[in-house]
Amino acid sequence: MASTSVSRIVPASPADVWQLIGGFDSLPDWLPFIPSSTLGDGGRTRRLKNPDGETIVERLIDFDEERRFYSYTILEAPFPVTDYLSTLRVHAVAGDDSVSEVQWSGRFTPRDVPDEEAVALFTGIYSDGLAALRTALE
């Protein structure tokens, strides 16, 4: 199993960041490479489309409003991995209520590619995503 994690400091309070990213259906609000999301199964699944029209289906596994995180798995995607589990989390930064740390992490089993290639893919997705979040909050 491989894993990666990316964290970024963003210019907004934890409550404001969570307000933007905490909804399981909110990716299109801040992530430009996911232009559409449709909830299913009573809000426990989301069907995403990327700019190429490819479909990604994910299932919500854990959600904690108070601790500001959610975890999800991929049910269907064009990625070369299986057993994917990811968590998106917002942390307070001690001594500064005007900024937050956002962490996006995942673990997965690469399929037909070297571990390094799968890790690089998701490190890039998480990095680009958190850069887009920072831009959305500025």
Side-chain angles (χ1 to χ4, degrees), residues 11-29:
S13 71
D16 288 346
V17 175
W18 186 247
Q19 179 70 29
L20 178 59
I21 72 171
F24 192 54
D25 196 33
S26 69
L27 288 180
D29 297 338

Side-chain angles (χ1 to χ4, degrees), residues 16-78:
D16 288 346
V17 175
W18 186 247
Q19 179 70 29
L20 178 59
I21 72 171
F24 192 54
D25 196 33
S26 69
L27 288 180
D29 297 338
W30 60 274
L31 195 59
F33 50 86
I34 299 295
S36 75
S37 175
T38 305
L39 289 177
D41 193 22
R44 302 289 295 176
T45 63
R46 63 185 177 194
R47 179 174 294 275
L48 309 170
K49 292 282 187 184
N50 69 19
D52 296 330
E54 296 171 311
T55 299
I56 303 159
V57 180
E58 299 172 334
R59 175 171 292 283
L60 184 64
I61 299 299
D62 196 9
F63 180 90
D64 191 317
E65 182 81 28
E66 185 177 319
R67 293 172 36 209
R68 296 185 183 107
F69 79 88
Y70 68 82
S71 298
Y72 62 95
T73 62
I74 291 177
L75 302 177
E76 173 188 330

Side-chain angles (χ1 to χ4, degrees), residues 52-121:
D52 296 330
E54 296 171 311
T55 299
I56 303 159
V57 180
E58 299 172 334
R59 175 171 292 283
L60 184 64
I61 299 299
D62 196 9
F63 180 90
D64 191 317
E65 182 81 28
E66 185 177 319
R67 293 172 36 209
R68 296 185 183 107
F69 79 88
Y70 68 82
S71 298
Y72 62 95
T73 62
I74 291 177
L75 302 177
E76 173 188 330
F79 306 129
V81 299
T82 59
D83 305 318
Y84 178 94
L85 177 66
S86 183
T87 300
L88 188 60
R89 182 181 307 269
V90 179
H91 299 281
V93 173
D96 193 344
D97 295 339
S98 67
V99 298
S100 305
E101 179 184 11
V102 181
Q103 178 186 34
W104 199 349
S105 59
R107 66 178 194 253
F108 39 84
T109 302
R111 185 186 70 234
D112 300 326
V113 298
D115 285 10
E116 299 78 22
E117 186 175 325
V119 167
L121 171 68

